[in-house]
Amino acid sequence: MALIKWNDSFSVGVVEIDLQHQKLVALINDLNEAMLQARGKTVLTRILNELVSYTVVHFGTEEKYFETYQYPYTMSHKKEHCAFIEKVGSFKADFQSDKVGLSLEVMSFLSEWLQNHIKGTDKKYSAFFNKNGLK
Ligand code: FEO
């Protein structure tokens, strides 16, 4: 069963960003599935790398729009993005050097962070972006 099930409560009202969030959800679900099936390190590393690089792409998209439309909460939002990239980056490094394995705890951190960030921090820009014509 999927760790995160997408539904309309995740929508931020901007199609491009909803599609990116759906891809992040799918990657976290894939990673969880691969961990539960005890897939090898090569498979886990491939999905983890994809998750990290797509997260960077996604944050870049939001931040580009923050700049374009002069979003007033840019600083605090970007801080959350940076902290997450740092945390996942250090986890990835530890995983690759066999210091830690993928665990339910790690999956629950990733899943909860993403859901809380989308439903809390991201949703705060919905009305602002829509008002600027971004839908
Ligand atoms: Fe959708 Fe702020 O990340």
Side-chain angles (χ1 to χ4, degrees), residues 6-70:
W6 179 273
N7 60 56
D8 284 349
S9 72
F10 285 96
S11 176
V12 295
V14 178
V15 175
E16 180 188 6
I17 297 177
D18 280 347
L19 290 173
Q20 291 188 347
H21 285 154
Q22 282 169 13
K23 178 154 177 171
L24 288 174
V25 164
L27 285 167
I28 288 179
N29 284 337
D30 286 352
L31 191 60
N32 187 56
E33 205 54 43
M35 180 201 66
L36 293 176
Q37 290 172 3
R39 302 291 293 274
K41 194 173 170 186
T42 314
V43 173
L44 294 176
T45 302
R46 179 183 52 75
I47 305 172
L48 192 55
N49 282 339
E50 206 184 333
L51 176 63
V52 171
S53 56
Y54 196 71
T55 300
V56 171
V57 168
H58 167 62
F59 288 169
T61 301
E62 287 184 353
E63 291 173 15
K64 173 188 73 181
Y65 291 131
F66 293 165
E67 202 175 315
T68 304
Y69 300 113
Q70 298 289 294

Side-chain angles (χ1 to χ4, degrees), residues 21 58-59 62 77 81 117 122 125:
H21 285 154
H58 167 62
F59 288 169
E62 287 184 353
H77 198 134
H81 287 171
H117 183 78
D122 284 352
Y125 59 55

Side-chain angles (χ1 to χ4, degrees), residues 107-119:
M107 288 316 306
S108 143
F109 166 78
L110 292 173
S111 150
E112 272 168 35
W113 189 92
L114 185 67
Q115 295 185 69
N116 290 335
H117 183 78
I118 293 174
K119 290 186 177 180

